[in-house]
Amino acid sequence: MKIVIAGAGAVGTHLSKLLSREHQDCVLIDDNEERLAALSEYDVMTYQASPTSIKALKEAGAQHADLFVGVTPEESINMNACILAHALGAKKTVARIDNYEYLSQELQPFFKNLGIDSLIYPEVLVATDITNSLKLSWVRQRWDVHGGALILLGVKLRETAEILNQPLKDLCGPDDPYHVVAIKRGGDTLIPGGLDELHVNDLVYFMTTREYIPYIRKIVGKEHYADVKNVIVMGGGKTAVRAALAIPNYMQLKIIEKDAQRCDKLNELLEREEAMVIHGDGRDLGLLEEEGIRNTQAFVALTGNAETNILACLTAKKLGVRKTVAMVENLDYVSMAEGLDIGTIINKKTIAASHIFQMMLEADVDNLRSLMLVDADVAEFTAAEGSKVTKKPVKDLGLPFGATIGGLVRKGTGMLVNGNSRIEAGDSVMVFCHEQNINQIEKFFKKSSFF
């Protein structure tokens, strides 16, 4: 598959590295020599030129591209590059934007006619993750599948959990309301079997349905965690704005921003009465005490500096805040942040790259998410008529090692899957696998006459 990426910023660079791991034919265009030089050790062809140069697009092979991606910092460059690439012959295009209006469903045919197949606004994607995390104070990560018909919950286990040190076959059989689909233990990721056990400090991913969320909360020993009613956000950038607009109105929100002019802009952008904008430094302990940090259930650090966000969350925890969320854009710091046990970790470029990566798959994929803490992907595939996955019970499909099916949605109803389950054409199927297996998995869901 040929992919051309315009923009060697955070998202473009991360996506290029993912594609080099997949041994895809990838060309990265940017007019900055230093940004391109940073990719010299990866199997990615680079081309120094303007992404809106027709000559450069032709020389980069945009006319033969299966996917063209515009992810420079400039929305107009991304959109123009996609329009030009489409006119040259690119099969699919995706543009990074920062205008929320463009995401309206009513405008999608308009952009499609222009030659832009998909639009991504990374800050909106991140805001959704933050909001989902705040709704359940006791989870590290939450992902709603098919409008919430299935729920994936990432939970850190403590000594209070009821399900420690017991074989999974005794905990979650075919008729139980949850499946354990992955375990992060130290630096290792396990796709567990029936004999595996759960230990203290494991990060465990549960697949369940909405009505059993309280049951999961009980068995992991998190009933004493207070629900989030008060939130303090440090940093008033675009991500904070999108998060503030997405956070439910029942949560009282304070945003601490050290730039006075940005505070004025935030007051213009945020209309909700529950949002209070405070001019100050979120690292100031006196200010945090004055703003009621000890009576706050959640602290969200969204500055552009990963170290600042990590340290601020550690400070908030010491002051009694149970739920902390840190935006950590430097991937080298993610493992350190997880080791410090700071709570939920958000990385904008991995979220955006996952959204783009799913467009490369030939099978029908509604959602793909890279779970960076466990080096795994979780994807929502739709089973095609006649696909291999519909031919046999799950236990006889011969899925690759390190892959498991957690559940499916059939006619709007979520249900868990066991070895005897049969998948039908049209089912939305939740698959959890190590990152290197995603291309092997998609073969099971494509329409084929050979099975």
Side-chain angles (χ1 to χ4, degrees):
M1 191 173 193
K2 184 172 183 62
I3 302 99
V4 178
I5 302 171
V11 176
T13 299
H14 182 68
L15 184 59
S16 298
K17 292 176 181 178
L18 288 179
L19 296 175
S20 71
R21 185 193 68 197
E22 298 286 336
H23 305 293
Q24 300 286 352
D25 180 6
C26 179
V27 180
L28 181 61
I29 306 173
D30 198 285
D31 56 9
N32 186 293
E33 184 178 2
E34 291 182 7
R35 286 198 290 264
L36 294 176
L39 284 162
S40 59
E41 61 185 280
Y42 295 93
D43 185 20
V44 178
M45 184 179 295
T46 59
Y47 191 90
Q48 185 182 354
S50 167
T52 55
S53 163
I54 295 177
K55 177 176 179 291
L57 290 174
K58 286 182 177 179
E59 292 182 354
Q63 67 273 29
H64 305 300
D66 296 289
L67 179 63
F68 182 91
V69 181
V71 284
T72 77
E74 296 295 327
E75 174 185 81
S76 58
I77 292 177
N78 297 333
M79 298 180 74
N80 286 334
C82 284
I83 292 169
L84 293 172
H86 171 79
L88 289 172
K91 293 179 182 177
K92 284 184 182 179
T93 64
V94 56
R96 177 181 180 172
I97 61 168
D98 54 19
N99 187 333
Y100 187 72
E101 175 193 6
Y102 293 167
L103 293 180
S104 168
Q105 288 296 321
E106 297 176 355
L107 291 176
Q108 300 316 300
F110 170 77
F111 288 113
K112 184 83 171 177
N113 289 335
L114 287 177
I116 304 173
D117 295 294
S118 183
L119 299 167
I120 62 164
Y121 191 158
E123 288 76 13
V124 171
L125 299 175
V126 169
T128 300
D129 275 19
I130 293 172
T131 302
N132 284 339
S133 175
L134 293 178
K135 287 178 181 177
L136 298 178
S137 62
W138 47 279
V139 306
R140 290 293 177 91
Q141 193 164 13
R142 167 180 171 168
W143 198 42
D144 288 14
V145 183
H146 216 79
L150 285 173
I151 308 289
L152 180 70
L153 301 175
V155 183
K156 189 87 166 183
L157 297 187
R158 306 299 187 189
E159 293 82 355
T160 52
E162 301 175 3
I163 53 177
L164 299 173
N165 307 316
Q166 304 171 60
L168 287 177
K169 65 182 178 62
D170 297 336
L171 292 175
C172 46
D175 299 322
D176 285 304
Y178 68 93
H179 287 167
V180 174
V181 294
I183 304 168
K184 176 67 179 292
R185 181 175 297 154
D188 298 324
T189 297
L190 308 176
I191 304 295
L195 297 178
D196 287 303
E197 299 180 354
L198 303 178
H199 298 161
V200 172
N201 293 325
D202 283 352
L203 178 59
V204 181
Y205 285 84
F206 297 87
M207 182 69 69
T208 189
T209 51
R210 187 184 299 275
E211 64 267 30
Y212 287 105
I213 290 177
Y215 177 73
I216 301 296
R217 184 175 188 173
K218 174 182 179 297
I219 63 175
V220 299
K222 304 282 187 175
E223 290 181 300
H224 61 290
Y225 275 58
D227 293 332
V228 174
K229 296 180 180 177
N230 298 294
V231 183
I232 291 179
V233 174
M234 183 177 76
K238 289 193 293 184
T239 302
V241 171
R242 300 319 319 176
L245 293 171
I247 287 173
N249 287 331
Y250 67 82
M251 295 182 187
Q252 302 292 317
L253 177 65
K254 294 180 180 179
I255 300 177
I256 301 176
E257 167 57 46
K258 62 181 180 180
D259 183 272
Q261 290 185 334
R262 183 60 183 172
C263 286
D264 292 338
K265 184 65 175 178
L266 288 171
N267 281 317
E268 293 177 16
L269 294 171
L270 301 176
E271 300 177 356
R272 52 181 282 171
E273 296 179 359
E274 295 84 358
M276 179 184 297
V277 178
I278 299 160
H279 179 217
D281 191 332
R283 298 169 295 181
D284 184 337
L285 293 181
L287 176 61
L288 292 175
E289 292 276 10
E290 185 179 329
E291 295 303 331
I293 188 71
R294 295 187 186 276
N295 296 314
T296 296
Q297 294 81 39
F299 181 88
V300 183
L302 299 177
T303 76
N305 186 288
E307 299 99 317
T308 297
N309 294 339
I310 292 169
L311 291 173
C313 285
L314 287 172
T315 300
K317 275 190 168 293
K318 288 184 177 180
L319 294 173
V321 180
R322 278 201 178 272
K323 180 68 179 182
T324 57
V325 180
M327 187 163 68
V328 181
E329 287 301 280
N330 188 332
L331 287 174
D332 294 333
Y333 291 164
V334 169
S335 295
M336 179 188 71
E338 169 62 15
L340 292 171
D341 207 16
I342 64 168
T344 299
I345 299 168
I346 299 290
N347 183 278
K348 192 161 44 182
K349 58 190 174 189
T350 60
I351 294 173
S354 296
H355 187 85
I356 296 168
F357 190 78
Q358 78 182 50
M359 296 185 68
M360 295 170 46
L361 301 175
E362 295 178 22
D364 189 353
V365 185
D366 289 325
N367 286 297
L368 174 68
R369 177 62 56 86
S370 177
L371 303 175
M372 59 183 174
L373 295 181
V374 289
D375 299 322
D377 290 324
V378 57
E380 183 183 349
F381 286 95
T382 299
E385 189 75 44
S387 58
K388 184 178 181 180
V389 78
T390 64
K391 300 295 186 181
K392 300 176 181 178
V394 169
K395 62 183 174 62
D396 298 326
L397 288 174
L399 294 173
F401 177 77
T404 185
I405 293 177
L408 60 83
V409 180
R410 180 175 296 158
K411 298 178 180 178
T413 301
M415 57 187 74
L416 300 179
V417 168
N418 59 52
N420 295 319
S421 299
R422 296 290 297 248
I423 294 170
E424 299 177 3
D427 287 348
S428 292
V429 184
M430 200 67 179
V431 181
F432 200 102
C433 65
H434 288 301
E435 290 178 334
Q436 62 270 25
N437 288 337
I438 194 69
N439 291 107
Q440 298 177 49
I441 291 294
E442 74 161 327
K443 297 174 184 177
F444 286 79
F445 291 87
K446 294 191 296 184
K447 184 175 182 179
S448 175
S449 58
F450 296 102
F451 299 115

